[in-house]
Amino acid sequence: MSGKAKRSGGDDIKMSDIARHAGVSPMTVSRALREPSTVSEKMRRKVDAAVREFGYLPNRIAGSLSSKRSNVVGLIVPSIRNSLYANMIQAISDVLRANGFHLMIANSGHRLDDEEALVAALLAQRVCGLVLHNTTHNKRVRDLVAKTGVPVIETGNLPAEPLDMAVSYSNFEAARAMTAHLGRLGYRKIGFVTLPLRDNDRSKERRRGYFAALKELGLPADPSLVLEAPGGFSEGADALVRLMQTHPGLDAGFFAGDVLAVGALFECQRRGWAVPGRVAIASFDDLDLLRHAVPTVTTLRIPRHEIGRRSAELLVNRLLGAPPERLRIDVGFEIVQREST
Amino acid sequence: MSGKAKRSGGDDIKMSDIARHAGVSPMTVSRALREPSTVSEKMRRKVDAAVREFGYLPNRIAGSLSSKRSNVVGLIVPSIRNSLYANMIQAISDVLRANGFHLMIANSGHRLDDEEALVAALLAQRVCGLVLHNTTHNKRVRDLVAKTGVPVIETGNLPAEPLDMAVSYSNFEAARAMTAHLGRLGYRKIGFVTLPLRDNDRSKERRRGYFAALKELGLPADPSLVLEAPGGFSEGADALVRLMQTHPGLDAGFFAGDVLAVGALFECQRRGWAVPGRVAIASFDDLDLLRHAVPTVTTLRIPRHEIGRRSAELLVNRLLGAPPERLRIDVGFEIVQREST
DNA sequence: CATTCTCTTGGTATCGCTACCATCCTATAG
DNA sequence: CTATAGGATGGTAGCGATACCAAGAGAATG
């Protein structure tokens, strides 16, 4: 836990100073700043003048303590680095800001224990709402959320029983749909490359979707067609090469995550394997990159931005007074058929 | 500004409750939690037991108000979406967290007025430190920073006169070095594609560096070789095509930002232009993508992660008591020569 | 013209914690 | 055995705002 530090140089001006200089009571200053309409124009002008003269910045810490309200929302993502989250974060940040809220952000590094520690820390900071990308949580997280009653949004998957509200798509359905799509296109030996499965409900659901589709297609469920790889270009390339070696007849690869598919595509370019002639490639998540690569890559469009926007909107509504309501919003997904399949 | 909202369901347990149940004074609880070593083991155990029993979460808002210290650092970036920033943010976040600090994040959308509003808002939240990517600021920002005395780090460029501390590389030198590098490789007609210049000191410095290098190379400074484009694949592709049309003899393109270079590279693949045979391509910032594309792309490695890490470390040191000191740390850059030039 | 009502303004008591100082206890020295 | 230092505890007074209620000033009503 450790150190915090003394705020230095502040010749801290406070509300009572402004009040004195404006010749009004502190309460009037407080009101003039927060609910200008409840104060006469004369007062408001006096207050505004004093505020400007001294460059006064209200102390929101004091305000929050006093009012028992906070205007900070906490967000925990597995990794900040990932551009998928970045889209969502941007959307959340924009909606929050438009409504006068701020965003405190932390990354759990895909570790449930870290998520737990961060949830506790954010709640200690008395955030007024929480957005969690993860949908499986330690018991203490569930307890804390229940006990404090903070509104929570889960965004990474559609859990059967959300903690509170969930805004997401079904990883299972998405992976199933893409696999089925490949089947419809005539591919028969479809490899599946997944992100690490440990502590990751999204990955597990995607794999489940893949197998479900195979079954529906009447194709054999061959575990050796499934490879687990951390995200990244090289990892995608490696995975494809390994699959091609162990399964010479492989006709398609479905890369369920990150930039794996692009890595595989580049590998094909290097080796002169025609895509989709020699092997078809499908991806997950509509990175800009996939639309511009040569050939363009078939993928699943997940509305990350919309997930962020709607999450923040729901949170803001609740914070502004909407009654608590267990919600489970499916934003859906879309198969984007391109040249690579 | 608008609404905040009432924290609902909290059956808020406070320190005095814990104290009562542990049979000690509130002060002892406070100490047991913050400086366990100053409290006898017996007391500590009693306190810990009560804390666990009730799932007590100290209220940091109250703590901050009382101690006049905060453990939240504010960060303002032009855009959260951009993966370059994402690397830096991740590093900042990790270092802060390891030292018990939290990160409040906001994006200015490249607008100085928004930056100003956000700085004010973050200071009102009484952040204990600030990281700004921008290095040109409105007057009010400079005033606020001076008046409040919060430690500030600027990271986007090396300003001649930092507000406080700066951790960055020189955009001017980097662009100059790459342009000179292209010159050394024998390219004589080098196009330059820049991100928007408005309110953006980084872009302007890069363009200055480009022209400086041309001069040193004894090449003519032809303004029509410079194109301004928002970041993006298509924009990079368009820019290259336009340059090739207006300057048939163009032998190299230096794309100073974002994914412009990759967009251009893809365009070359589509048109069958050999890279670097027909035209060479150089980029700015070492995105993973550039190392894996076919051909691999020559670029400038900017240590974004290191910038974030060192920024956070400097901030933490200062917050932990290091004396204020105007610093200007140049983390440098590196030219990465690859196949595309 | 008295009375009631509404709209503004101000006073006071917290909000939950920490700083600071006083007190107490135990250990060591004289 | 008394004196004294030093560590461990507790009491009290804020931190800087807001909630809540009381009071005053006009406006509207009978």
Side-chain angles (χ1 to χ4, degrees), chain A residues 2-3 5 54 57 60 69 71 80-81 87 90 93 99 101 103 105 107 124-125 147 234 266 292 319, chain B residues 2-3 5 54 60 69 71 80-81 87 90 93 99 103 105 107 124-126 147 234 266 292 305 319:
Chain A
S2 107
F54 294 94
L57 282 181
R60 285 212 161 282
R69 289 186 255 116
N71 61 344
I80 296 174
R81 223 188 217 95
N87 275 332
Q90 176 95 44
S93 164
N99 289 277
F101 292 87
L103 185 61
I105 200 171
N107 68 298
Q125 299 284 345
K147 189 155 108 180
S234 318
F266 286 155
H292 296 279
L319 292 169
Chain B
S2 112
F54 293 94
R60 285 212 162 283
R69 289 186 257 117
N71 62 343
I80 296 174
R81 223 190 218 93
N87 275 331
Q90 175 95 44
S93 164
N99 288 277
L103 185 60
I105 201 172
N107 69 298
Q125 300 282 346
R126 294 303 189 265
K147 188 155 107 180
S234 318
F266 287 155
H292 295 280
H305 193 272
L319 292 169

Side-chain angles (χ1 to χ4, degrees), chain A residues 1-13 54-62 64-65 67-72 79-81 83 86-87 89-90 93-94 97 99-107 114 117-118 120-128 140 144 147-150 233-234 262 266 269-270 288-289 292-294 305 318-320, chain B residues 1-13 54-62 64-65 67-72 79-81 83 86-87 89-90 93-94 97 99-107 114 117-118 120-128 140 144 147-150 233-234 262 266 269-270 288-289 292-294 305 318-320:
Chain A
M1 290 301 98
S2 107
K4 300 174 283 179
K6 198 149 242 158
R7 280 175 55 71
S8 45
D11 47 355
D12 269 6
I13 295 152
F54 294 94
Y56 168 67
L57 282 181
N59 184 331
R60 285 212 161 282
I61 292 191
S64 293
L65 177 61
S67 65
K68 302 189 181 186
R69 289 186 255 116
S70 129
N71 61 344
V72 178
S79 155
I80 296 174
R81 223 188 217 95
S83 65
N87 275 332
I89 297 173
Q90 176 95 44
S93 164
D94 289 345
R97 173 150 186 241
N99 289 277
F101 292 87
H102 292 275
L103 185 61
M104 204 174 275
I105 200 171
N107 68 298
D114 282 28
L118 288 169
L122 290 174
L123 289 176
Q125 299 284 345
R126 294 303 191 264
V127 293
C128 60
R140 175 142 179 263
L144 281 172
K147 189 155 108 180
T148 59
V150 250
F233 292 96
S234 318
V262 181
F266 286 155
Q269 292 182 357
R270 277 189 291 270
D288 258 7
L289 181 51
H292 296 279
V294 182
H305 193 272
R318 174 80 66 87
L319 292 169
L320 260 35
Chain B
M1 290 303 96
S2 112
K4 299 175 284 178
K6 200 149 243 159
R7 279 176 55 71
S8 45
D11 48 352
D12 270 4
I13 295 152
F54 293 94
Y56 168 67
L57 282 181
N59 184 333
R60 285 212 162 283
I61 291 190
S64 292
L65 177 61
S67 65
K68 300 191 183 186
R69 289 186 257 117
S70 129
N71 62 343
V72 178
S79 155
I80 296 174
R81 223 190 218 93
S83 64
N87 275 331
I89 297 173
Q90 175 95 44
S93 164
D94 290 345
R97 174 152 184 239
N99 288 277
F101 292 87
H102 291 276
L103 185 60
M104 204 174 276
I105 201 172
N107 69 298
D114 281 28
L118 288 168
L122 289 175
L123 289 175
Q125 300 282 346
R126 294 303 189 265
V127 293
C128 60
R140 174 143 179 261
L144 281 171
K147 188 155 107 180
T148 58
V150 253
F233 292 97
S234 318
V262 181
F266 287 155
Q269 292 183 355
R270 278 189 291 269
D288 258 7
L289 181 51
H292 295 280
V294 183
H305 193 272
R318 174 80 66 88
L319 292 169
L320 260 35

